[in-house]
Amino acid sequence: MTADVVILGLGYVGLPLAQEAVKAGLSVLGYDISARVVDALNSGRSHVDDLSDDDIAAMVAAGFRATTDESEIRGAKTAVICVPTPLSADGGPDLNAVESAVRSVARNLQSGTTVILESTTYPGTTDEVVRPLLEESGLVAGVDFNLAFSPERIDPGNKQFGAHNTPKVVGGYTPACTERAAEFYSQFIETVVRAKGTREAETAKLLENTYRHINIALVNEMAKFCHQLGIDLWDVIRAASSKPFGFQAFYPGPGVGGHCIPIDPNYLSHNVRAKLGYPFRFVELAQEINATMPAYVARRAQNILNDAGKATNGANVLMLGVTYKANIADQRESPAIPLARALAGLGAKISFHDPHVETWRVPGVDVLKVDDLEVGVAEADLVILVTNHSAYDVDRLAGLAKRFFDTRGVTQGDQAIRL
């Protein structure tokens, strides 16, 4: 069977892309090395936040199929690689999954195929790593097959922007490669933005998240000294946001998490050090500041308890929301984990509640799950709002709590202590 596209990696990036392609009438094959994931999808069951079981069932009914058989890649006109790129031990991207996926494509590569990498990585990966592996097939990029990079821009839980209406950046190995990739995405994505080449497209993604990383670090640093100076930073941000130009609001919090902000800027920093021999100081400082926030929140929690004449050692601390962002189940790089460790290190007894998480484990820390939210809030010595899920009526909960520490600045009035 010939497919219009095979998508390698059926996670939070690959599945929404597959869904949009299916909606546009393309024949879509999904490839993943996990038999569990493949079997679940073929049975109409989702494993990502943004797609429901009904969404997957509709895709299957429209012809979508998942497989673990790499030989089926051979029949696809386009292959899109959407596999994870976590940090390696040296701070650079771990390309094992990318290289494995590329080799699977290379073993089945045919003349005329368009190959697109979406996995976030350092500038030069498409040309220096992906292209040579593909050319081991005997085919030549830009001559026998098309090669491009198009950074994923998925924002899990975002109800306004998804794969269809988020502009797609595309940079090819040659101008013709750019056009072939752009033509492919234009079938089901509203806006395609052509970059000069693969390196420019790779760097664009890193710039987007480095910009956010640095600005979050700025307000996190301000949160610390504003607290010491008795300044309400949340009111400062509200006032500054009234300026209709030259300002974008960023907000402090207990730390950064997820698949992008704590990870992507490090790719750029690692690449600068490795290739140019000097540090990307903005990124490394931002990383240092953001990484200290869980410990800072734990110290603030200790001070709140001390001010109430309550020792942190033996205190019952309830953490509300343990995912990395609101209204999703994704726990990757969540600051809740280092925060729980820091609190436990001070002797606190940790419990948690999260409407999206059934089981939460923190290595080395005993964590109790609270089923009755209001009872748990009322009984805890300190409640810390870590992630503000929409299911939480934060002002009501703050009123029920003995002490309520709001790290997200969402409570009103004086019933809570804000970061």
Side-chain angles (χ1 to χ4, degrees), residues 138-206:
L139 300 177
V140 178
V143 178
D144 301 308
F145 67 93
N146 301 297
L147 176 62
F149 181 83
S150 180
E152 61 89 0
R153 282 174 158 176
I154 296 295
D155 183 21
N158 192 321
K159 302 300 183 184
Q160 182 178 3
F161 292 103
H164 176 66
N165 64 346
T166 300
K168 202 82 173 78
V169 172
V170 175
Y173 176 61
T174 67
C177 290
T178 300
E179 289 307 311
R180 296 294 83 73
E183 289 170 6
F184 164 71
Y185 284 119
S186 293
Q187 296 175 90
F188 55 92
I189 292 177
E190 287 182 354
T191 305
V192 175
V193 179
R194 292 161 174 80
K196 185 176 180 181
T198 57
R199 282 176 169 81
E200 286 75 17
E202 290 162 338
T203 309
K205 172 63 185 294
L206 300 183

Side-chain angles (χ1 to χ4, degrees), residues 10 80 130 134 142 146 148 155 164 170 180 192 205 208 250 252 254 266 281 295-296 308 349 398 402 411:
L10 300 175
V80 185
V130 175
L134 292 173
N146 301 297
D155 183 21
H164 176 66
V170 175
R180 296 294 83 73
V192 175
K205 172 63 185 294
E208 294 168 16
F250 288 83
N266 290 289
R281 290 184 293 171
Y296 172 73
K349 298 176 182 177
K402 298 172 185 173
T411 50

Side-chain angles (χ1 to χ4, degrees), residues 359-418:
T359 303
W360 188 51
R361 293 183 178 87
V362 180
V365 179
D366 291 329
V367 180
L368 176 68
K369 182 176 186 293
V370 168
D371 292 314
D372 190 315
L373 175 60
E374 293 194 354
V375 170
V377 166
E379 291 181 348
D381 294 309
L382 175 64
V383 178
I384 304 178
L385 180 66
V386 183
T387 304
N388 181 33
H389 295 302
S390 59
Y392 291 145
D393 182 344
V394 291
D395 289 312
R396 173 173 169 73
L397 295 176
L400 293 172
K402 298 172 185 173
R403 301 161 198 91
F404 194 95
F405 184 19
D406 173 11
T407 70
R408 297 294 180 176
V410 292
T411 50
Q412 305 296 319
D414 56 4
Q415 290 180 311
I417 300 166
R418 298 201 291 180

Side-chain angles (χ1 to χ4, degrees), residues 7-18:
I7 296 175
L8 292 86
L10 300 175
Y12 74 94
V13 175
L15 269 183
L17 189 72

Side-chain angles (χ1 to χ4, degrees), residues 248-314:
Q248 179 181 356
F250 288 83
Y251 299 93
V256 294
H259 55 92
C260 288
I261 304 303
I263 306 295
D264 296 358
N266 290 289
Y267 298 161
L268 193 53
S269 176
H270 180 271
N271 195 234
V272 170
R273 277 190 177 273
K275 291 191 172 181
L276 302 180
Y278 55 81
F280 191 167
R281 290 184 293 171
F282 267 118
V283 169
E284 295 182 6
L285 179 59
Q287 181 66 23
E288 178 185 335
I289 292 170
N290 289 333
T292 65
M293 289 307 292
Y296 172 73
V297 170
R299 289 196 302 273
R300 285 283 304 275
Q302 182 181 33
N303 291 337
I304 291 168
L305 288 166
N306 286 344
D307 290 344
K310 180 75 177 178
T312 309
N313 187 25

Side-chain angles (χ1 to χ4, degrees), residues 293-361:
M293 289 307 292
Y296 172 73
V297 170
R299 289 196 302 273
R300 285 283 304 275
Q302 182 181 33
N303 291 337
I304 291 168
L305 288 166
N306 286 344
D307 290 344
K310 180 75 177 178
T312 309
N313 187 25
N316 294 309
V317 177
L318 171 60
M319 298 172 59
L320 298 185
V322 296
T323 59
Y324 85 85
K325 66 179 292 189
N327 305 322
I328 64 172
D330 198 333
Q331 301 171 40
R332 285 174 297 172
E333 307 297 328
S334 172
I337 292 177
L339 174 56
R341 286 182 179 142
L343 290 166
L346 295 172
K349 298 176 182 177
I350 310 300
S351 59
F352 86 97
H353 178 278
D354 193 305
H356 301 275
V357 177
E358 194 62 35
T359 303
W360 188 51
R361 293 183 178 87

Side-chain angles (χ1 to χ4, degrees), residues 23-47:
K23 286 180 180 178
L26 276 66
S27 58
V28 182
L29 177 69
Y31 173 81
D32 201 285
I33 60 172
S34 171
R36 179 185 58 81
V37 166
V38 165
D39 290 343
L41 291 173
N42 287 333
S43 299
R45 299 194 307 275
S46 178
H47 62 283

